[in-house]
């Protein structure tokens, strides 16, 4: 229960800051990772958490690098990459694909709503991805707790 409370507080905090500033502070990502490591150790899933953290950090770093080389600009913020590394600790390497799918669908739905409302949604538009990652992390973590994924 205490881990759920810590997770929720951190996810809300991260989401609010990202919505306001388009950045996820390193100290909050570190706290998210730290509590995730505590939870993984306490639950006996330290190896799964460690592999998830490495996959969550390594994959997005590679995607960020390749996108930058192909498009000449950043498409994924470093805070989002660090968040995914911390998220991988919570959900394991096997939870990351579902997490990314949920976050992406959520962001696309928001973009569609913006477009319908007449807000700019072109290739140069920025969105705060942290709230979508937060929603997805919580959803996957709960689903894994109930063995739904």
């Amino acid at each position: 229960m205490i881990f759920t409370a810590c997770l929720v507080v951190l996810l809300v905090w991260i989401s609010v800051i990202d919505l306001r500033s388009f950045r996820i502070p390193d100290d909050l990502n570190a706290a998210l990772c730290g509590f995730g490591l505590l939870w993984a150790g306490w639950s006996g899933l330290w190896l799964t958490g460690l592999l998830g953290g490495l996959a969550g950090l390594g994959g997005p770093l590679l995607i960020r690098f390749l996108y930058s080389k192909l498009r000449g600009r950043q498409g994924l913020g470093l805070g989002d990459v660090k968040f995914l590394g911390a998220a991988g600790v919570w959900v394991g390497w096997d939870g990351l694909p579902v997490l990314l799918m949920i976050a992406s669908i959520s962001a696309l739905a928001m973009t569609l709503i913006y477009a319908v409302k007449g807000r700019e949604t072109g290739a140069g538009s920025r969105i705060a991805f942290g709230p979508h990652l937060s929603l997805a992390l919580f959803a996957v973590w709960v689903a894994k707790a109930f063995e739904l994924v």
Side-chain angles (χ1 to χ4, degrees), residues 75-128:
L76 186 61
L78 201 51
D80 297 326
V81 170
K82 294 172 190 174
F83 183 103
L84 284 163
V89 173
W90 284 90
V91 301
W93 63 271
D94 57 334
L96 286 170
V98 177
L99 186 149
L100 285 168
M101 181 187 67
I102 292 169
S104 298
I105 289 171
S106 173
L108 286 170
M110 187 193 76
T111 302
L112 179 62
I113 291 168
Y114 283 171
V116 168
K117 289 186 168 188
R119 189 167 164 186
E120 175 63 36
T121 57
S125 300
R126 294 174 59 190
I127 65 164

Side-chain angles (χ1 to χ4, degrees), residues 5 20 34 41 45 52 62 69 79 89-90 108 141 143 147:
R20 290 181 179 169
L45 297 171
L62 179 62
K69 290 296 178 192
V89 173
W90 284 90
L108 286 170
W141 193 69
E147 297 180 5

